[in-house]
Amino acid sequence: MSVLVGRQAPDFETAAVLGNGEIVDNFKLSDSHGKLRVLFFWPLDFTFVCPSEIIAHDNRLAQFKELGVEVIGVSIDSQFTHHAWRKTSPEKGGIGEVGFPIVADVKHEVTQAYGIEHPEAGVAMRASFLIDENGVVQHQTVNNLPLGRNVDEMLRMVKALKHHQQHGEVCPAGWDEGQEGMKDTAEGVAKYLGAHSQAL
């Protein structure tokens, strides 16, 4: 497994099912260059923890869009399996017609490029990447197969990145939208800790 934070996110071109249900053969990550992106992987379609995570992303899609974020999902299943899963309701174990693209990584090339292929199961681990407008990975999490993600934490990280971009401040432990940031100086640290250390 590799850490991509601070590095360019690997580009890829492969088949995908778009948010409107259309199947395309040439979906490219770089087509969304200039935008914030959340790229998240799951092991397999028609499984157990996976639909809960995908639906959780879809339920927050409006919040991601409001922040200017493109959400992109990836697994090693084919575009046709993805399409069938979208056509299966959550009540029957499906994901419904989620509104973001789902990439078909049948050759495992994307999973391997991001360094998150499970060493024994041969599927993608539950990995998420926050990619900035310049294609640089700013945040990365990887969970093992039984452990579902907290999508609200990714939303928090998007807000923290935008706060840093807009105000030049760094975001201390537990920072959330509307809270005070910190100047990245000795004086800034002292000021922040003097006011907030007991609440950390």
Side-chain angles (χ1 to χ4, degrees):
M1 188 176 71
S2 58
V3 175
L4 294 179
V5 173
R7 297 165 55 191
Q8 283 287 319
D11 196 14
F12 56 82
E13 180 175 351
T14 187
V17 182
L18 303 183
N20 62 6
E22 178 186 0
I23 296 176
V24 297
D25 294 325
N26 57 348
F27 182 89
K28 293 177 68 175
L29 178 67
S30 55
D31 283 344
S32 56
H33 190 79
K35 297 181 179 180
L36 290 171
R37 285 152 290 178
V38 167
L39 181 71
F40 77 103
F41 295 75
W42 62 88
L44 287 169
D45 295 357
F46 290 100
T47 52
F48 315 111
V49 177
C50 302
S52 69
E53 294 186 311
I54 295 163
I55 292 169
H57 280 84
D58 192 58
N59 285 346
R60 292 158 179 78
L61 193 56
Q63 296 178 62
F64 281 115
K65 287 184 176 180
E66 187 176 346
L67 292 165
V69 178
E70 297 285 324
V71 175
I72 303 166
V74 186
S75 88
I76 61 172
D77 299 274
S78 74
Q79 62 271 39
F80 308 109
T81 303
H82 289 332
H83 189 267
W85 207 24
R86 288 182 80 258
K87 291 296 184 182
T88 305
S89 70
E91 293 78 14
K92 296 182 178 180
I95 57 174
E97 296 185 351
V98 298
F100 52 83
I102 302 176
V103 170
D105 184 27
V106 292
K107 296 181 180 179
H108 299 211
E109 291 174 347
V110 182
T111 298
Q112 291 170 2
Y114 280 79
I116 47 85
E117 187 173 50
H118 194 283
E120 297 168 358
V123 298
M125 290 186 276
R126 301 187 189 285
S128 300
F129 299 85
L130 173 56
I131 304 168
D132 72 13
E133 298 89 341
N134 296 314
V136 177
V137 177
Q138 296 292 333
H139 170 67
Q140 170 180 343
T141 62
V142 184
N143 291 4
N144 209 350
L145 304 184
L147 307 176
R149 284 162 281 203
N150 183 338
V151 183
D152 291 325
E153 173 63 8
M154 180 58 81
L155 278 167
R156 187 184 75 86
M157 294 307 299
V158 171
K159 294 171 184 177
L161 176 59
K162 291 179 75 70
H163 180 89
H164 172 67
Q165 290 173 333
Q166 293 168 7
H167 302 285
E169 295 181 330
V170 295
C171 298
W175 181 93
D176 210 344
E177 187 176 26
Q179 295 179 349
E180 183 181 358
M182 180 193 300
K183 297 293 183 185
D184 56 350
T185 63
E187 294 80 7
V189 173
K191 178 182 176 184
Y192 183 87
L193 293 180
H196 301 286
S197 63
Q198 295 300 315
L200 292 174

